Amino acid sequence: MTRALMIQGTGSDVGKSLLVAGLARAFTRRGLRVRPFKPQNMSNNAAVTEDGGEIGRAQALQARAARVTPSVHMNPVLLKPQSDIGAQVVVQGRMIGTAKAREYQSWKPRLMASVLDSFDILSAEADLVLVEGAGSPAEVNLRRGDIANMGFSRATGTPVVLVGDIDRGGVIASLVGTQAVIDSEDAAMIRGFIVNRFRGDPTLFSDGMALIAARTGWAPLGLVPFFPDAARLPPEDAVALDAPDARREGVPLVAVPVLPHIANFDDLDPLRQEPGVAVTFVRPGSPIPAEAALIVLPGSKTTIDDFAFVRAQGWDIDILAHVRRGRPVLGLCGGYQMLGRTIADPDGIEGAPRTIPGLGLLDVETVMRGQKRLVAVTGETLSDGAPFSGYEMHIGDTTGPDTQKPLLRFADGRPDGAVSADGLVSGTYVHGLFADDRQRAAWLARLGAPPSSESYEAGIETVLDRFADHLETHLDCDRLLALAEPYRKPGTV
């Protein structure tokens, strides 16, 4: 019978996603059929599945760690923020609508049916399902109708391990305080705790582990030291964009404006790991550096609103000046749409119906319409034949004279993207372009930078294995496995 264990956290970004990935690799190496599962996720970093749906990027990484193909059932409910108070709602890989935060609360009872359906499907093919919570169970104001944390745990009888992040400070209070504020029946589902991201001498926190265990009655399952190479794995949350500025002397600088609804910014991860270039994410209130060798306009969940933000920051002026200096610009998906002459949303897909002028650096026009395109693609760049593999995830059709000089050609012969007449400005709908070593090497060559000798994809595999080793060393993985309980479908005996 399939067993299940849920990893919840005292807050967001305490390391739940990465811990599930590391445990998935560790238990897969023991010969178990492991499947990751996250009932509800909120992220604009998404991945395309083979069955033409989308899930959170973290669940795609966890599937990779478990050495299985990502499925829409690994993340049945995905919320993609479109504004400060509303989000697109994606259920089992497909968007079903847009809801404001308060409205979404009334959707949860019917969404739980989809969550349980997906969990049943995954459980049928697994020995162990590792479930990741969302946010924190201490958000008791959201407990009614919850599908992401204790609501799911209680509905399925899945025991919980609670994770606290000591690097933030206050980890004792966050763990003990969680028990203090949640319902006693919810607290009874928590069987143990993990303290994550410890730095220094672990013996200095042995009393802290004992105190938490004494106050809560939960089993101490391990103190996990900080793992620096975690930064080499694709991030899920935009908090990763808060990393220190990466500018270094003597190497070309790639500048990426941080849009309010930036999406799939992990497109830049392979470049960030190249020693021959520096990637800087330009924060609001800062100009795009004049010394940038390349500007990349990233993907966006709301292209029109985010382009208005580009103008408000004065980044449009910086980009135009950059091109006048004879330096290249690359637009990815929403960034590609911003480079054209106009962006039209006649049906109000992203908000109120409207048409706005773009940067005009590409002689193309975009109309938001049709179904979202979600598909994995392979091909090559037309200019040099460098291969790539990636995925499309967009709404909108882009047409115009510059599309007659496409940037890419897919394996099935279709063209994609556009290149300006002078060759300086290009755009594409393909995400993941830089992950292919040969494609990335071609871009680095254009910047006069040498590529690293390490394969990006092989590097991810190495880090996953090393992190699994790290967890096997510092966690009681045997006890974690023993805590996982057989899953019985709700309503069965």
Side-chain angles (χ1 to χ4, degrees), residues 322-330 419-426:
H322 175 89
V323 174
R324 285 196 300 270
R325 288 191 286 268
R327 297 175 185 170
V329 175
L330 172 65
V419 179
S420 62
D422 60 9
L424 285 176
V425 182
S426 53

Side-chain angles (χ1 to χ4, degrees), residues 330 380-382 405-409 416-419 426-428 443:
L330 172 65
E380 63 182 15
T381 42
L382 285 167
K405 186 182 178 184
L407 179 66
L408 309 175
R409 179 172 56 220
D416 175 77
V419 179
S426 53
T428 176
W443 281 94

Side-chain angles (χ1 to χ4, degrees), residues 448-473:
S452 67
S453 58
E454 183 178 9
S455 164
Y456 175 71
E457 297 294 346
I460 289 178
E461 288 299 312
T462 298
V463 173
L464 285 171
D465 278 328
R466 288 187 59 242
F467 188 57
D469 293 340
H470 186 71
L471 295 186
E472 290 271 19
T473 300

Side-chain angles (χ1 to χ4, degrees), residues 307-327:
F307 185 63
F309 185 82
V310 167
R311 288 198 184 280
Q313 293 295 314
W315 288 338
D316 56 332
I317 297 170
D318 295 341
I319 294 168
L320 293 171
H322 175 89
V323 174
R324 285 196 300 270
R325 288 191 286 268
R327 297 175 185 170

Side-chain angles (χ1 to χ4, degrees), residues 223-364:
L223 180 65
V224 181
F226 186 79
F227 184 71
D229 279 352
R232 298 178 61 190
L233 296 174
E236 177 183 36
D237 298 318
V239 70
L241 300 178
D242 294 333
D245 198 313
R247 275 184 260 191
R248 302 190 302 275
E249 293 292 333
V251 299
L253 180 67
V254 179
V256 185
V258 177
L259 309 173
H261 304 100
I262 189 171
N264 297 79
F265 51 84
D266 56 317
D267 284 342
L268 283 302
D269 280 1
L271 281 182
R272 294 175 77 182
Q273 295 179 23
E274 287 286 346
V277 295
V279 177
T280 184
F281 286 98
V282 183
R283 276 78 177 178
S286 299
I288 297 175
E291 68 270 25
L294 170 69
I295 293 175
V296 178
L297 271 176
S300 167
K301 188 67 199 66
T302 55
T303 302
I304 292 179
D305 284 347
D306 277 3
F307 185 63
F309 185 82
V310 167
R311 288 198 184 280
Q313 293 295 314
W315 288 338
D316 56 332
I317 297 170
D318 295 341
I319 294 168
L320 293 171
H322 175 89
V323 174
R324 285 196 300 270
R325 288 191 286 268
R327 297 175 185 170
V329 175
L330 172 65
L332 301 174
C333 201
Y336 169 33
Q337 295 171 341
M338 294 177 192
L339 291 172
R341 295 193 178 281
T342 60
I343 310 167
D345 185 7
D347 299 324
I349 293 173
E350 290 191 349
R354 52 193 160 162
T355 298
I356 66 165
L359 279 165
L361 291 172
L362 287 174
D363 193 3
V364 298

